[in-house]
Amino acid sequence: MGSYALPRSGVRRSIRVLLLALVVGVLGTATALIAPPGAHAAESTLGAAAAQSGRYFGTAIASGRLSDSTYTSIAGREFNMVTAENEMKIDATEPQRGQFNFSSADRVYNWAVQNNKQVRGHTLAWHSQQPGWMQSLSGSALRQAMIDHINGVMAHYKGKIVQWDVVNEAFADGSSGARRDSNLQRSGNDWIEVAFRTARAADPSAKLCYNDYNVENWTWAKTQAMYNMVRDFKQRGVPIDCVGFQSHFNSGSPYNSNFRTTLQNFAALGVDVAITELDIQGAPASTYANVTNDCLAVSRCLGITVWGVRDSDSWRSEQTPLLFNNDGSKKAAYTAVLDALNGGDSSEPPADGGQIKGVGSGRCLDVPDASTSDGTQLQLWDCHSGTNQQWAATDAGELRVYGDKCLDAAGTSNGSKVQIYSCWGGDNQKWRLNSDGSVVGVQSGLCLDAVGNGTANGTLIQLYTCSNGSNQRWTRT
């Protein structure tokens, strides 16, 4: 973890069929989009949903928060991988040279194992969070101290840690593509290679990872420098097994639509990839879904770790970047991630049309007067068999009517009208059908909403912040 953020990746995944039955008001139950034959049943937690595709969904755990029952309840329920937030770093594990202290690290490790979770080790060699004694060293003395530290920590956890971030954040920010000017770098340019070779000898069973931030955007110099290092290591037999992408996305370093390309290109070198410290400023549901789908699209993506449980646990709490609010309640981003994970291996939705019925109103999504004109705002209307109420989900994430008109958001703010428009492939025409019955715009992260909680014929349809109200829940008939 560094004190910065990352680039942004705007890739999206196909819209998936809803997998759950939704409870509706006075009329009993209505059936959501039905999973096709062979699809997984929807899982109710992040870890279980990720496990369907052989991946994990983890979190960073702080030993000092393990006495917080809300914290441990969420972490125990939702995640199947744990990373110690600070407890396995150099200053925590070797505060005095040659004198190791694993008390806090073991508390995190033991909690994880007792709760049936695997553990990622973070981190063995890093320019930051070095104890004072290490900061005072240089040259060959520092090199030997690094080797001794790796051996000491890995010996303690030998055979117990599935992945180790062996080296963390060795490349410089900016456009130089250079190594970071650190005391470790000044010990010799081969220090990273030495760290990996030492780690392999110390624990041959652990996956050995290089981990960094601001390396998600494929076009960035820092990304290319890291890529060239990994390619060189693979060509020369340096033991590197995986690359971690921290993914601290924010306004200064936003998610970019080429993130999936980055993951694919690294995987093509013969290494696994992992999203290791994910947090996203404001926790937009669409971006969280995109990042999840980027991992699902790459067979060598091992899994995703979010950097903290609730916003209040985040190192960037002011950015509200996580999946749970301070009180432990789930955000829309949580549902978006869970839906993406549950849809990871399912078949594409059927192309034939069907009605989309409002749970609160019992009326259908309708194009007024069967208009085919671009810009016609949608409404609620009594359900009937007309073609202006027949919506087909495509594998591109669209909802089509008449075959060539798409459900289209005219903006990205609350109150933006939802209309029909000629299909052209824009993100404002991509939708996610969630297991809670909401229909969320990929571009905006806002919900399909019946204006003013209206239920009458002619009630207009807009985008609005997701609230789980009955005017924002829909079923497919």
Side-chain angles (χ1 to χ4, degrees):
M1 179 183 70
S3 50
Y4 6 69
L6 298 182
R8 153 190 195 142
S9 166
V11 193
R12 59 187 171 269
R13 189 177 190 76
S14 302
I15 200 166
R16 299 291 181 180
V17 292
L18 289 176
L19 302 173
L20 301 176
L22 302 175
V23 177
V24 251
V26 295
L27 297 179
T29 60
T31 303
L33 295 178
I34 300 301
H40 289 298
E43 295 289 351
S44 61
T45 65
L46 299 171
Q52 293 179 120
S53 62
R55 293 171 173 82
Y56 62 80
F57 203 97
T59 191
I61 289 292
S63 62
R65 293 191 173 93
L66 289 176
S67 59
D68 181 331
S69 60
T70 302
Y71 180 88
T72 54
S73 175
I74 296 169
R77 180 187 73 231
E78 293 291 341
F79 304 106
N80 57 356
M81 179 71 79
V82 161
T83 304
E85 188 167 353
N86 289 291
E87 291 78 357
M88 291 187 184
K89 290 174 180 174
I90 308 167
D91 56 352
T93 52
E94 196 178 359
Q96 302 297 325
R97 188 170 188 179
Q99 298 179 19
F100 290 89
N101 184 341
F102 297 105
S103 57
S104 294
D106 283 351
R107 188 178 184 205
V108 173
Y109 175 82
N110 292 335
W111 181 88
V113 171
Q114 290 162 9
N115 286 275
N116 300 312
K117 303 177 193 314
Q118 293 184 306
V119 180
R120 295 189 76 255
H122 177 77
T123 177
L124 296 169
W126 190 25
H127 70 275
S128 186
Q129 289 185 237
Q130 294 178 2
W133 67 264
M134 182 176 280
Q135 295 175 38
S136 68
L137 299 178
S138 61
S140 59
L142 176 61
R143 176 69 60 89
Q144 189 59 52
M146 178 192 75
I147 292 170
D148 292 344
H149 179 78
I150 293 171
N151 282 326
V153 175
M154 294 191 77
H156 182 77
Y157 290 109
K158 187 173 182 178
K160 299 177 179 179
I161 301 290
V162 294
Q163 300 172 36
W164 269 109
D165 289 333
V166 177
V167 173
N168 201 45
E169 301 173 1
F171 286 92
D173 291 319
S175 59
S176 69
R179 294 277 186 90
R180 180 187 297 275
D181 181 21
S182 69
N183 60 349
L184 290 167
Q185 180 62 29
R186 291 190 294 274
S187 74
N189 198 56
D190 64 339
W191 75 274
I192 301 176
E193 177 177 343
V194 170
F196 274 91
R197 292 192 184 280
T198 302
R200 175 64 87 230
D203 188 352
S205 67
K207 285 185 180 290
L208 307 181
C209 305
Y210 176 81
N211 190 56
D212 217 326
Y213 69 96
N214 280 354
V215 286
E216 290 72 21
N217 188 322
W218 177 245
T219 68
W220 286 22
K222 188 174 182 180
T223 309
Q224 292 300 309
M226 184 173 77
Y227 177 85
N228 290 334
M229 181 192 73
V230 175
R231 181 174 58 186
D232 172 63
F233 280 9
K234 293 300 291 183
Q235 290 173 345
R236 294 193 296 110
V238 178
I240 184 170
D241 303 311
C242 47
V243 177
F245 298 82
Q246 292 183 16
S247 306
H248 298 296
F249 296 121
N250 63 31
S251 57
S253 186
Y255 167 90
N256 187 280
S257 61
N258 63 28
F259 185 29
R260 188 179 302 188
T261 298
T262 302
L263 295 176
Q264 290 169 332
N265 287 344
F266 275 87
L269 293 176
V271 293
D272 294 326
V273 294
I275 297 168
T276 55
E277 303 182 21
L278 179 64
D279 47 33
I280 308 176
Q281 183 175 358
S286 58
T287 308
Y288 259 108
N290 287 340
V291 173
T292 304
N293 286 321
D294 290 342
C295 179
L296 291 170
V298 179
S299 61
R300 295 198 71 150
C301 185
L302 299 170
I304 297 170
T305 296
V306 288
W307 206 246
V309 177
R310 305 160 298 187
D311 285 339
S312 54
D313 308 312
S314 170
W315 68 306
R316 289 179 164 168
S317 58
E318 75 284 355
Q319 295 184 1
T320 61
L322 296 175
L323 299 176
F324 294 87
N325 294 305
N326 294 349
D327 64 0
S329 58
K330 299 171 183 176
K331 296 184 182 180
Y334 170 93
T335 303
V337 170
L338 184 63
D339 288 337
L341 293 171
N342 274 323
D345 277 346
S346 66
S347 302
E348 298 299 336
D352 56 322
Q355 294 167 321
I356 297 176
K357 182 184 291 188
V359 168
S361 65
R363 292 189 164 90
C364 281
L365 196 63
D366 178 280
V367 184
D369 301 320
S371 172
T372 58
S373 298
D374 285 349
T376 302
Q377 187 169 7
L378 299 178
Q379 64 178 6
L380 293 177
W381 201 263
D382 292 333
C383 299
H384 55 73
S385 59
T387 57
N388 63 324
Q389 291 188 358
Q390 301 298 311
W391 300 91
T394 73
D395 59 8
E398 302 159 330
L399 286 168
R400 292 193 175 211
V401 67
Y402 309 134
D404 61 351
K405 299 292 182 180
C406 276
L407 188 71
D408 178 287
T412 57
S413 59
N414 281 340
S416 295
K417 76 173 182 177
V418 176
Q419 59 189 7
I420 60 166
Y421 209 88
S422 298
C423 299
W424 64 281
D427 278 357
N428 68 316
Q429 294 185 346
K430 311 299 183 186
W431 304 87
R432 193 175 62 254
L433 305 181
N434 297 322
S435 59
D436 64 356
S438 62
V439 178
V440 176
V442 165
Q443 183 183 64
S444 65
L446 301 178
C447 274
L448 200 68
D449 176 283
V451 172
N453 292 304
T455 60
N457 279 337
T459 299
L460 295 175
I461 306 300
Q462 63 179 2
L463 290 179
Y464 213 82
T465 301
C466 298
S467 65
N468 199 36
S470 63
N471 67 319
Q472 292 185 351
R473 289 186 287 123
W474 309 84
T475 60
R476 186 76 177 267
T477 61

